[in-house]
Amino acid sequence: MVSLKSHPPIDPTLPTWIADLQHSAAAALADLSMPSPKLEEWRYVDLGFDVGTFGMAAKGQPSSLDIPFRSEVGALAVTDGGIAELVNELPTGVSFGSVRRSGEDYVAERFGAGIPGGRDVFTAIHQAFADDGAFLHISSGTAVAEPFTLEISATQSGMISLPHLTVVVEDNAEASAIVYFTSEEDVEAVVLSQVEVTIGKNSHFKLTVVQQWGDKTRAVADVAYTMADNATGTFTEIGLGGAYSRIRFDAKLVGNGSHMEIVGAYFGDSDQVLDYRYFLDHIGVGTTSNMFLKGAVEDDAESVFTGMIRIEEGAQKANAHQTNRNLILSDGASAQSVPNLEILANDVRCGHGSTMGPLDKDQRYYLMSRGLDKAQADRLQVKGFFEEALVKVPHQQIRDELRIAINDKFVAAQSEGRV
Amino acid sequence: MSLALSVRSLEAKIGDLQILKGVDLEVPAGEVHVLMGPNGSGKSTLCHVLTGKDDYQATGAILVDGVDVSDMAVDERARAGVFQAFQYPIQIGGVLLGELMDEMAEASPDAAAFRARTAAAVETLHMEPFMDRAVNDELSGGEKKRSEMLQLAAVQPKIAVLDEIDSGLDIDAVREVAELVERLRSPELGVLLITHYSRILRYMKPDRVHVMIDGRVVKSGGIEVAEELESSGYDELRKRFGPRPVDEEDDFLADL
Ligand SMILES: Nc1ncnc2c1ncn2[C@@H]1O[C@H](COP(=O)(O)OP(=O)(O)O)[C@@H](O)[C@H]1O
Ligand SMILES: [Mg+2]
């Protein structure tokens, strides 16, 4: 078991930049415990586990990738935090691999800088114990069309793993990555992951996460973007698995004219809890953001979306929109949708909308009047519901696989009589 | 002569509001009938009750090719041969017309034949560009009606109920739709074409014209019934059969 109160002595062979992080996070950890649902950021959910009862996983040594899409240029497998570079045909100007093995200064500067280690017990555990991570570095002026891929998996029940990805995209560059989160159905693991992304001037980075944790895995992911002038960040998550899966996402639109695009599609069944907390901070002038998330829940599943858009005083001409639409497919299922705006500037355009409800009756009537039975009509309606989000997934090469995964999930619910 | 559709003493209400007050109507297979009537007389309600929409409590008999469909669910009725071209076709975002046609083929008794009819109709109706677009999403009025006609041609129902298939169309499109209906004529199909203007009748030869006032079919006859209505409007009929005083603005001629 991890002792949350007394951190083991810090490994003297660690580079100082990791040792320093561990030090301060360990100090923060001593005062932290499982978050209370009374805290706004943890409202609406019952986590249903105590991280203190889990041990720390031994790092895996992955030797193959088991994901539907793998990059031709660079692919990593991260098993229980152990990293292997399995496809390594990197274009010039790109580094992609283990933080520890790289030894580069720019990695040292960025590693752990995006997410406060003492924010909650999970970020503190991550930073107090993580001693390696993956990093992707794109040099100035480099554009790579082919996405990089990472398969992040957990295999050990009762254990915590700490996958970490640091992305640095320098100026005038462009790249993208697809991350798969996977574990087998019976693996009762806890995964505390961190992804930090820094995007330079006029650069563009797109990240798509396909979350397919097994039904007993609990996962808390912290994702943070920081953007320079005219940078564009894209973050997409397709949430399918997990007993509990959370994403806390923070974007800092620091640079003037920077833009953040967020797309989400999630589908919870049985007693899954899917928990999304988006925080967008508009700081620069003329910053823009778009958030578009579609979620469905059936059986006893729960979903939470909270979106906080903050427009700082100096962020004139900001333009921010968030949309969250929810489909409630069973009586026992529930969704929370809480869009929020905090506007400190006076010349801005902001909008938000959220909806919640069952499948549309008129659509069902129309489809059935064409001879489709109810099950067929429902499948088509669910497909149509998610399609609006899936067509926005920037990696179109995986859209079909996502359509199939969503349809399979709904068909399973139909055949088991849950919807 | 077999009857594609036979409706007897059909009543329908929604909550306490009685909309259909005893409709009797027969459409023999092979014929095209027209149902006219002022706004609010119950024409669309009749379509939905025939289609089986469960918002209405309906009583009376509905026979399609001799089979009583009145206890059937919407999809069973469709498979029994009822097809409605909607006055306001429902938009289904994220579902392509091509996908819908595929699902309809799967649900039909002979998927291969359905696909062949679809392919032929896509060509005659010039619908290729619409197959990759969402169902009734961001289509003009005329495009929606063509999409309904495409589905009709592919389905090959026993009774086709076309609810204001001509409304919102310019005169060329109205002629096109009329010609299509004439082209779909077959000894196996009965058509009930609902309209509230008579202009579509200039381009087609209906076998019979019925007039609905206040939830009842009050008059039936040949094309002369429509011609009379064109010159005198619904007033006379409404005075005799309607529940409320005549409203000048709702006059038939005002629609022309
Ligand atoms: N769903 C409904 N709820 C309440 N009233 C309805 C509903 N559908 C139809 N009606 C009423 O029934 C009458 C007939 O409507 P409708 O069948 O649409 O007429 P038409 O198609 O001939 O114009 C109208 O007075 C209309 O307001
Ligand atoms: Mg009508």
Side-chain angles (χ1 to χ4, degrees):
Chain A
M1 259 181 283
V2 213
S3 167
L4 303 182
K5 302 301 160 202
S6 62
H7 191 270
I10 284 167
D11 177 356
T13 65
L14 283 178
T16 51
W17 46 277
I18 294 183
D20 290 351
L21 265 182
Q22 288 201 355
H23 246 302
S24 57
L29 187 56
D31 298 324
L32 289 163
S33 52
M34 286 295 281
S36 152
K38 293 198 181 96
L39 296 169
E40 183 59 31
E41 286 161 28
W42 294 92
R43 241 175 103 184
Y44 312 112
V45 290
D46 171 12
L47 293 175
F49 71 105
D50 179 357
V51 69
T53 64
F54 285 76
M56 200 54 71
K59 282 189 188 162
Q61 291 183 320
S63 58
S64 64
L65 290 161
D66 182 22
I67 45 178
F69 176 81
R70 62 134 78 191
S71 171
E72 302 278 311
V73 291
L76 299 187
V78 182
T79 304
D80 302 318
I83 301 166
E85 290 126 25
L86 297 178
V87 176
N88 203 341
E89 307 286 331
L90 300 174
T92 43
V94 176
S95 311
F96 186 33
S98 141
V99 164
R100 287 285 288 284
R101 286 194 286 270
S102 90
E104 306 267 6
D105 285 350
Y106 54 75
V107 178
E109 272 170 35
R110 295 295 176 180
F111 185 77
I115 295 158
R119 187 160 67 200
D120 56 51
V121 70
F122 304 114
T123 59
I125 291 175
H126 183 103
Q127 295 195 359
F129 290 89
D131 61 6
D132 198 2
F135 82 97
L136 173 64
H137 177 257
I138 312 292
S139 311
S140 281
T142 304
V144 188
E146 168 90 3
F148 300 96
T149 46
L150 288 99
E151 177 184 8
I152 294 179
S153 53
T155 67
Q156 299 169 46
S157 284
M159 298 293 167
I160 300 171
S161 61
L162 308 169
H164 193 109
L165 170 65
T166 302
V167 177
V168 178
V169 181
E170 291 187 355
D171 296 346
N172 305 308
E174 198 171 325
S176 78
I178 301 174
V179 174
Y180 288 89
F181 282 142
T182 64
S183 59
E184 298 291 330
E185 283 307 286
D186 52 353
V187 175
E188 283 186 55
V190 169
V191 184
L192 308 178
S193 60
Q194 296 196 352
V195 176
E196 44 195 356
V197 176
T198 310
I199 309 177
K201 287 179 188 159
N202 307 314
S203 289
H204 192 173
F205 182 70
K206 301 182 242 186
L207 177 65
T208 299
V209 173
V210 182
Q211 187 276 90
Q212 292 179 309
W213 295 122
D215 61 357
K216 294 204 167 64
T217 296
R218 273 103 172 199
V220 177
D222 286 281
V223 182
Y225 276 52
T226 306
M227 275 163 311
D229 289 350
N230 298 315
T232 298
T234 303
F235 178 73
T236 302
E237 196 250 10
I238 311 301
L240 299 169
Y244 172 73
S245 176
R246 172 184 173 101
I247 290 186
R248 151 105 195 207
F249 178 96
D250 286 83
K252 294 209 179 309
L253 292 99
V254 179
N256 295 335
S258 56
H259 175 70
M260 186 72 223
E261 189 77 31
I262 290 165
V263 176
Y266 48 94
F267 188 175
D269 64 19
S270 60
D271 50 6
Q272 275 185 283
V273 179
L274 301 175
D275 183 7
Y276 295 101
R277 314 286 171 143
Y278 282 90
F279 295 82
L280 269 63
D281 199 2
H282 286 253
I283 301 163
V285 173
T287 48
T288 53
S289 67
N290 243 322
M291 230 189 281
F292 187 85
L293 292 96
K294 286 207 152 186
V297 279
E298 52 111 339
D299 208 2
D300 293 323
E302 280 175 57
S303 71
V304 177
F305 162 80
T306 67
M308 169 57 88
I309 296 177
R310 188 180 151 93
I311 313 280
E312 304 287 351
E313 226 179 297
Q316 299 298 2
K317 310 274 178 211
N319 190 327
H321 291 273
Q322 55 180 330
T323 304
N324 175 230
R325 304 207 183 287
N326 293 279
L327 204 48
I328 316 291
L329 295 166
S330 318
D331 291 341
S334 68
Q336 295 288 340
S337 181
V338 190
N340 268 307
L341 289 169
E342 193 179 329
I343 303 176
L344 306 176
N346 52 25
D347 181 14
V348 303
R349 295 182 61 176
C350 292
H352 59 67
S354 85
T355 57
M356 197 139 346
L359 287 170
D360 185 78
K361 262 188 78 183
D362 289 337
Q363 289 189 348
R364 175 179 290 148
Y365 168 57
Y366 183 78
L367 291 170
M368 289 179 73
S369 80
R370 269 51 187 150
L372 276 54
D373 63 26
K374 179 177 173 292
Q376 220 184 344
D378 286 357
R379 273 201 300 282
L380 217 46
Q381 285 184 254
V382 168
K383 188 263 170 187
F385 174 80
F386 280 113
E387 193 62 19
E388 225 188 329
L390 293 183
V391 295
K392 295 182 196 283
V393 171
H395 293 104
Q396 57 164 335
Q397 53 272 66
I398 64 165
R399 285 184 199 157
D400 273 339
E401 125 207 354
L402 300 175
R403 288 184 181 107
I404 291 166
I406 288 171
N407 185 61
D408 285 352
K409 221 174 150 161
F410 185 65
V411 169
Q414 284 186 319
S415 66
E416 287 158 28
R418 296 197 302 265
V419 287
Chain B
M1 178 189 69
S2 78
L3 289 175
L5 177 69
S6 166
V7 170
R8 282 193 295 266
S9 312
L10 186 63
E11 298 190 17
K13 40 184 195 172
I14 198 155
D16 290 334
L17 178 69
Q18 180 101 26
I19 304 172
L20 300 183
K21 301 177 177 173
V23 174
D24 293 286
L25 188 66
E26 286 184 346
V27 181
E31 294 194 358
V32 174
H33 286 206
V34 168
L35 178 67
M36 303 182 77
N39 256 331
S41 55
K43 304 181 300 296
S44 292
T45 301
L46 174 64
C47 294
H48 292 307
V49 170
L50 295 177
T51 308
K53 191 172 191 182
D54 63 10
D55 295 6
Y56 305 90
Q57 306 110 264
T59 58
I62 304 169
L63 279 74
V64 172
D65 194 26
V67 176
D68 185 352
V69 301
S70 47
D71 288 333
M72 291 183 185
V74 176
D75 56 326
E76 288 175 283
R77 290 192 199 201
R79 294 192 291 268
V82 178
F83 181 90
Q84 178 188 174
F86 282 54
Q87 177 174 3
Y88 303 110
I90 306 293
Q91 165 189 336
I92 306 184
V95 174
L96 310 180
L97 180 57
E99 283 179 305
L100 172 60
M101 298 309 292
D102 267 344
E103 295 287 336
M104 288 166 68
E106 294 301 323
S108 74
D110 182 346
F114 188 100
R115 292 206 168 88
R117 290 193 299 270
T118 304
V122 165
E123 200 160 317
T124 40
L125 290 167
H126 308 293
M127 288 295 285
E128 292 88 350
F130 297 96
M131 302 309 280
D132 291 335
R133 289 176 54 180
V135 177
N136 299 318
D137 192 11
E138 294 177 8
L139 299 186
S140 72
E143 289 163 351
K144 285 185 195 165
K145 305 286 166 156
R146 260 160 68 204
S147 169
E148 295 289 284
M149 295 303 279
L150 164 72
Q151 295 172 53
L152 164 58
V155 167
Q156 229 173 36
K158 298 201 164 98
I159 177 73
V161 184
L162 313 179
D163 194 4
E164 302 216 14
I165 196 77
D166 55 336
S167 67
L169 302 191
D170 62 36
I171 196 70
D172 290 334
V174 168
R175 184 173 49 224
E176 199 176 305
V177 167
E179 287 166 2
L180 261 164
V181 172
E182 285 296 347
R183 209 177 314 153
L184 282 172
R185 240 185 219 273
S186 96
E188 283 83 43
L189 173 69
V191 173
L192 182 64
L193 183 146
I194 290 162
T195 182
H196 120 153
Y197 312 98
S198 63
R199 57 180 189 170
I200 192 170
L201 306 181
R202 294 174 205 160
Y203 310 107
M204 57 191 301
K205 295 193 170 54
D207 298 284
R208 246 177 127 64
V209 175
H210 310 274
V211 183
M212 179 176 266
I213 304 278
D214 191 29
R216 286 186 190 87
V217 174
V218 299
K219 189 166 185 170
S220 295
I223 187 77
E224 71 282 355
V225 172
E227 284 157 3
E228 277 167 35
L229 283 176
E230 184 150 15
S231 55
S232 59
Y234 288 111
D235 285 2
E236 196 53 39
L237 289 171
R238 258 199 295 221
K239 267 180 218 146
R240 282 172 59 198
F241 300 104
R244 48 192 175 125
V246 178
D247 171 1
E248 285 301 321
E249 281 186 329
D250 209 14
D251 190 88
F252 176 76
L253 288 173
D255 294 330
L256 287 175

